[in-house]
Amino acid sequence: MRTTRGRALLLLTVGIATLLLGSGTALAAGSQPETAPVVLVDASVTPTEDGQVEVSMQFANAQGQALSGQEVSFFLETDFLGQSLVSLDSATTNAAGKAQVRYLPTWDGTQRVVARLAGGQEYSASETAIEFDVAGSRSAYHAEPPALGMIRE
């Protein structure tokens, strides 16, 4: 009985390995259609009335035509426990090829926002960044008054 299980397991392993290797070879041999490059047309940062920052990125194809309907993810680069990216939000490009997000800066100094355009069958994926200085940021956290503070008064 153990021999039968051993043979079945061996055949299953060989079958899976053949399937994986075969599909890998097929993918490597198959030619992927070439995707068109993406061009960053404009990048801007605008402070808003409520203390937030609006980051806008505008994309086009190599011929200068706006890329509408493309998913763009925005990340804030941080140095907290090593360099990392914190997701801010994602947006879809409008008819002019512009995607924008708002966020509340929580520290002063130079900040870097990275935008990643997902790409797809028509356009290649693209990543770009913009750096800007922030002064007068607000903390995302506010200290609560002492529990009995109002009673003491």
Side-chain angles (χ1 to χ4, degrees), residues 4 13 16 19 21-22 39 46 48 56 84 91 93 98 103 109 116 119 130-131 135 153:
T4 307
T13 305
I16 291 173
L19 179 66
L21 290 174
V39 177
T46 308
T48 64
S56 299
S84 61
T93 56
K98 183 186 269 188
Y103 82 99
R116 291 182 180 161
I130 186 169
E131 286 187 1
E153 291 178 4

Side-chain angles (χ1 to χ4, degrees), residues 17-65:
T18 305
L19 179 66
L20 291 175
L21 290 174
S23 65
T25 305
L27 288 176
S31 61
Q32 294 286 336
E34 188 120 350
T35 55
V38 173
V39 177
L40 177 67
V41 176
D42 185 39
S44 64
V45 177
T46 308
T48 64
E49 295 288 323
D50 59 356
Q52 293 189 7
V53 172
E54 184 175 270
V55 179
S56 299
M57 301 280 184
Q58 187 176 8
F59 299 94
N61 62 18
Q63 291 75 35
Q65 298 169 327

